[in-house]
Amino acid sequence: METIGLYVHVPYCVSKCPYCDFYSLPAGEEGMDRYAQAVIRALKDNPFGPRNADTLYFGGGTPILLGARRLGAILEAASSQYGLSSGSEITLEANPYSTLQGTLRELKAAGFNRVSFGLQSAIPSQLKILGRRHTAEDARTAVEDAFRAGFQNVSLDLMLGIPQQTAEDVETSIQFCADTGVQHISAYLLKIEPGTPFAARYREEDFDPDLQADIYLRAVDRLESLGYRQYEISNFARPGFESRHNLKYWLLEPYLGVGPSAHSCLDGRRFYFPRDVESFSAAPSPFSLAVDDGPGGSLEEYLMLRLRLTQGVSLREAQIRYPQFDPAGFIRRARPLEAGGFLWATEEGFALTPQGFLVSNEVIARLILSESTNCN
């Protein structure tokens, strides 16, 4: 029986940040009760037959707003239905407020073993620009509370390229994260999403591409110097603390998403839930709402996702998995990019350099041919 990853989208936030386009809305106790019960129904009544899972990721939104009771009930249902064990990776996203110690202890006792806090910056003026409600000291306290609660795998998120941010600011935030002792740091370049308040506030010319590149490359260097090995475009970890769940996405392994806006790739198909928490919560069989999104796992998709990883593409593995893969053509397209400093090349395959990650969409587009086959 194949092993999958589970994802639960929790669409609740205290307030919506001006850069965010994820599906979220204000939380209410009655609505969260109905939502948690709907997630449990979906986990128990999925139409895909018995599966084993070894990762469960609660994303959002702000999942911790559900509280330990609801989150524990969802985890219990998932464990019962999908065989999650003490060796599984169970992750929860949270905003780093200073009042989490009791909740974190309850979550650890329920079986959660990884927590990811959305810091974004340790610079007060940048937190204000981003509309964040916490301080850097709140984040330090939250990390300390997580360690005291027994978590041994804690991550912090940073945002790069914030308006008015300098490379020195980013290095300050990175040092702050390292000083807390976390095992994992995600560092994402800000993307201005259509329809967000940031899209109305900022224009493309407000962002200097040379400064953005300097910020990213300085961040990569600083994180590596502090012992956080880059394993994906935006993710860095001490050895052995890479996100096992997120690696499933990039390795094109099967996963099942539950909740409004959650996506899945299972049995060679992609599907998703509409962005409608009320319909999801009211449905007797939530998976009846799932929308088919076509086949998943094409060669093009495989190459695109593998090139997000520092391990890159193994030519032999690609040819075994996709017999139509043309390594000679791939090598021919890769050589000019290697000469330009955008790729590393070995006898086994290719991987993007940090410079290549900066322009990954363009580099990947030049490497990939439009061929398809179904995923696992």
Side-chain angles (χ1 to χ4, degrees):
M1 187 183 299
E2 65 182 355
T3 301
I4 67 172
L6 294 173
Y7 173 80
V8 174
H9 186 76
V10 180
Y12 298 109
C13 281
V14 173
S15 61
K16 197 171 184 70
C17 297
Y19 56 85
C20 178
D21 75 335
F22 292 146
Y23 178 62
S24 64
L25 64 164
E29 293 299 316
E30 182 181 346
M32 289 193 294
D33 280 340
R34 291 190 296 111
Y35 169 76
Q37 289 303 312
V39 170
I40 290 170
R41 286 199 303 277
L43 290 170
K44 290 182 175 180
D45 300 333
N46 86 78
F48 308 104
R51 308 280 169 151
N52 286 329
D54 59 1
T55 67
L56 171 57
Y57 193 105
F58 288 79
T62 309
I64 203 167
L65 288 178
L66 279 184
R69 176 181 60 82
R70 298 184 189 97
L71 290 166
I74 293 172
L75 174 54
E76 183 179 1
S79 298
S80 174
Q81 191 73 16
Y82 296 90
L84 293 167
S85 68
S86 59
S88 301
E89 180 191 83
I90 315 296
T91 302
L92 176 81
E93 291 182 347
N95 281 336
Y97 301 126
S98 58
T99 56
L100 297 178
Q101 187 169 8
T103 302
L104 289 168
R105 288 187 183 279
E106 291 181 67
L107 291 170
K108 185 64 175 63
F112 288 83
N113 53 29
R114 185 174 185 269
V115 60
S116 178
F117 292 114
L119 169 61
Q120 312 312 349
S121 175
I123 309 297
S125 61
Q126 290 165 21
L127 290 173
K128 184 176 181 180
I129 288 171
L130 293 172
R132 304 296 288 179
R133 299 163 65 94
H134 63 265
T135 67
E137 286 309 307
D138 287 338
R140 190 191 305 276
T141 299
V143 171
E144 291 171 352
D145 286 346
F147 286 141
R148 278 194 288 265
F151 286 89
Q152 299 177 4
N153 192 348
V154 181
S155 179
L156 285 171
D157 285 357
L158 291 176
M159 189 162 287
L160 311 180
I162 300 167
Q164 304 174 31
Q165 187 181 60
T166 66
E168 290 73 22
D169 291 336
V170 170
E171 290 188 331
T172 297
S173 291
I174 289 171
Q175 188 64 55
F176 175 90
C177 293
D179 290 344
T180 68
V182 296
Q183 293 82 11
H184 186 283
I185 297 173
S186 297
Y188 301 99
L189 277 166
L190 172 65
K191 182 180 178 183
I192 304 299
E193 300 288 354
T196 63
F198 262 27
R201 190 180 308 169
Y202 298 107
R203 298 169 297 176
E204 185 176 342
E205 51 265 35
D206 292 326
F207 299 89
D208 179 354
D210 292 333
L211 175 59
Q212 301 284 86
D214 185 45
I215 284 173
Y216 178 78
L217 295 174
R218 291 268 290 273
V220 171
D221 286 345
R222 186 61 177 151
L223 284 160
E224 293 276 0
S225 74
L226 291 168
Y228 296 93
R229 184 183 67 86
Q230 185 176 27
Y231 67 99
E232 192 266 346
I233 290 177
S234 303
N235 286 277
F236 306 78
R238 298 199 184 282
F241 288 93
E242 299 82 1
S243 170
R244 287 163 51 191
H245 181 83
N246 287 334
L247 278 168
K248 288 183 181 293
Y249 301 148
W250 302 316
L251 294 173
L252 203 53
E253 296 176 359
Y255 58 92
L256 178 64
V258 176
S261 83
H263 286 245
S264 301
C265 182
L266 203 62
D267 296 340
R269 304 295 299 178
R270 290 194 175 276
F271 51 93
Y272 64 91
F273 286 96
R275 292 184 165 210
D276 185 344
V277 69
E278 292 302 323
S279 295
F280 178 86
S281 297
S285 300
F287 272 100
S288 66
L289 304 175
V291 178
D292 186 85
D293 203 25
S298 68
L299 170 58
E300 181 179 25
E301 188 177 24
Y302 170 85
L303 295 172
M304 177 188 71
L305 292 169
R306 284 301 178 104
L307 286 168
R308 291 184 62 93
L309 296 169
T310 54
Q311 73 185 62
V313 172
S314 162
L315 298 178
R316 174 176 170 78
E317 181 182 305
Q319 197 165 23
I320 291 173
R321 185 164 179 171
Y322 300 94
Q324 79 272 27
F325 175 61
D326 174 21
F330 189 88
I331 292 169
R332 185 173 61 253
R333 295 188 296 277
R335 290 305 183 196
L337 295 167
E338 179 189 5
F342 300 108
L343 289 175
W344 305 108
T346 69
E347 292 182 359
E348 289 78 27
F350 294 85
L352 270 62
T353 64
Q355 291 81 4
F357 283 143
L358 270 171
V359 288
S360 59
N361 289 342
E362 293 86 347
V363 171
I364 291 170
R366 290 179 61 178
L367 285 171
I368 290 176
L369 293 174
S370 295
E371 302 175 77
S372 64
T373 188
N374 283 349
C375 69
N376 295 335

